[in-house]
Amino acid sequence: MSEKIIIFDTSLRDGEQSLQASLSVREKLKIAFALERMKVDIMEVGFPISSPGDFNSVREISKNIKNTKICSLARCLDQDIDVAADAMSVLKDFRIHIFLGTSHLHMKYKLKKKFDDILNMAIRSIKRAKRYTNDIQFSCEDAGRTSMDNLCKIVEQVIHHGATTINIPDTVGYTLPNQFGDIIHTLYERVPNIDQAVVSVHCHNDLGMAVGNSISAILSGARQVEGTINGIGERAGNAALEEIIMAIISRKDILKVHTTVESKEIYNTSKIISKICNIPIPNNKAIVGKNAFSHSSGIHQDGVLKNRKNYEIISPKTIGWKNVQFNLTSRSGRAAVRHRMKNMGYKDNEYDINKLYESFLKLADKKGQVFDYDLESLAFIKNQNKNSEYFRLQDFNVQSNCNGYSSALVKLICGKKIVIKSATTNNGSVDAVYQALHKISGYSIFLKNFQLIAKGQGKETLGQVDIIVKYNNRTFHGLGLSTDIIESSAKAMINVLNSIWRSKQVSLKFKKLES
Ligand code: KIV
Ligand code: ZN
């Protein structure tokens, strides 16, 4: 059996300390539960001396998390160590993580101490932490820029006095993979008692090397890896744990180690952390980005339809991502369009693929992404152009005051008639317009997502509204653009209403055929 890599998550400490506003205890608990479900081996949940809020959240997490080892951070100061132990005291077994700068720069300019003083502080702190636990992690802060002689000396001493995990951080993300791997390798060669501790690494991403450096360290013998989900953290962030975990799983042929993390929880955990921390995941982020498994070009989509392995090294299901579909764009080929129609239950003889593909390309050029319901209406509804839209905005009027009270009157062309409805809400003008529109359409829809972005600059700036709506278990997308953001919002919703209307026409048509 291969050796296990201990996965140490520090999203709630190194990740959280980089956020603009600290998280509430409730939010931290939600993240801690997600990490527990993901079965990370250890979670570092705070720096209790740093604030009463941090102390309190470490205490609450310690009370609630049952299956993951909890760890808290402390400087080499008695009070830090005592407070960290106090915050976790409800637990029988916990880890104290002590850190101290060991690089020339940190010793001279930050700590203003000589190496011998650093050594003594470290030893003293290990002894202090031993009063509370046998699980003591020591970090040589800025190890990436620490002289190898000093690093070997301090590592040997702290192990000798009781540190059970030695963490080697590349605090400023300065090292390169071969260099960082060499540091770990040298520790194994030169520190006589190194086998009495677990060697851990903690890499920052300033040069974009955090994951590469961590993997290089594993190859050199490190057996604990620290990081955060989505790579959140100080400056350019920490090593993204989901990337390290998936590298361990998918490249065991080379790495020859394993992890016991539940990879199927990665997607969910990543979403939770992104939402709570208010840090969107870039579309092209490895493993968890929106495009990580979406194939765009016709050649790739066709290749994946023939065998997913042609262009996929990981199945999205491995990280718990179900129902990944191709984005249908102007780069998609016939095979992808036909496949999507088949997924929706349409047989090849129910539509003309050549005609459909031709109109699909025209729409994709205009719209960018084409959705299921667009395909259906292209395939089954004749003479579609803007003037043949069933719902068209004729006019609207809104009034609102600063207490949130708003009323809207909307005039909508519905087929051949004009319908006028009004609505009042205490939730703002857009909501009032949406209520009036719903009264007119009668569709019972759920607004899942509303996004407003400014397009352009100065007076010409347009407000673009993108909405995602659920109707009868189907998802519809709407887009509206105008200099007036109420009008863009109304247009986006009318866009959706027309898509729903067309999809209803398609269902009616098929019901007729079936009967
Ligand atoms: O980056 C770093 O050096 C740290 C230490 C506290 C481990 O976060
Ligand atoms: Zn760090």
Side-chain angles (χ1 to χ4, degrees), residues 380-392:
F380 303 116
I381 299 181
K382 292 207 173 77
N383 302 329
Q384 292 188 57
N385 62 48
K386 225 174 169 350
N387 295 333
S388 71
E389 298 274 61
Y390 186 77
F391 297 108
R392 275 175 294 146

Side-chain angles (χ1 to χ4, degrees), residues 7-12 35 40 42-44 225 227-229 241:
I7 302 293
F8 179 114
D9 179 276
T10 181
S11 304
L12 286 168
L35 292 169
V40 299
I42 307 178
M43 56 175 109
E44 181 169 53
V225 181
T228 58
I229 302 295
L241 272 186

Side-chain angles (χ1 to χ4, degrees), residues 37 74 136 151 192 196 215 220 245 306 325 333 389-390 394 396 401 460:
R37 283 194 298 275
I136 301 165
L151 199 60
Q196 289 164 37
I215 297 295
S220 296
I245 293 163
K306 287 174 176 145
Q325 283 193 325
E389 298 274 61
Y390 186 77
Q394 185 160 71
F396 73 89
N401 68 21
E460 270 84 58

Side-chain angles (χ1 to χ4, degrees), residues 13-14 202 204 238:
R13 198 278 297 167
D14 217 337
H202 172 115
H204 279 268
N238 288 59

Side-chain angles (χ1 to χ4, degrees), residues 13-14 73 97 99 139 141-142 167 169-171 202 204 226:
R13 198 278 297 167
D14 217 337
L73 188 67
H97 176 191
F99 72 102
S139 280
E141 195 190 9
D142 205 14
N167 188 34
D170 182 16
T171 304
H202 172 115
H204 279 268
E226 303 194 1

Side-chain angles (χ1 to χ4, degrees), residues 83-95:
V83 171
D86 186 16
M88 297 183 287
S89 58
V90 289
L91 295 164
K92 269 205 214 101
D93 188 22
F94 56 80
R95 176 177 296 187

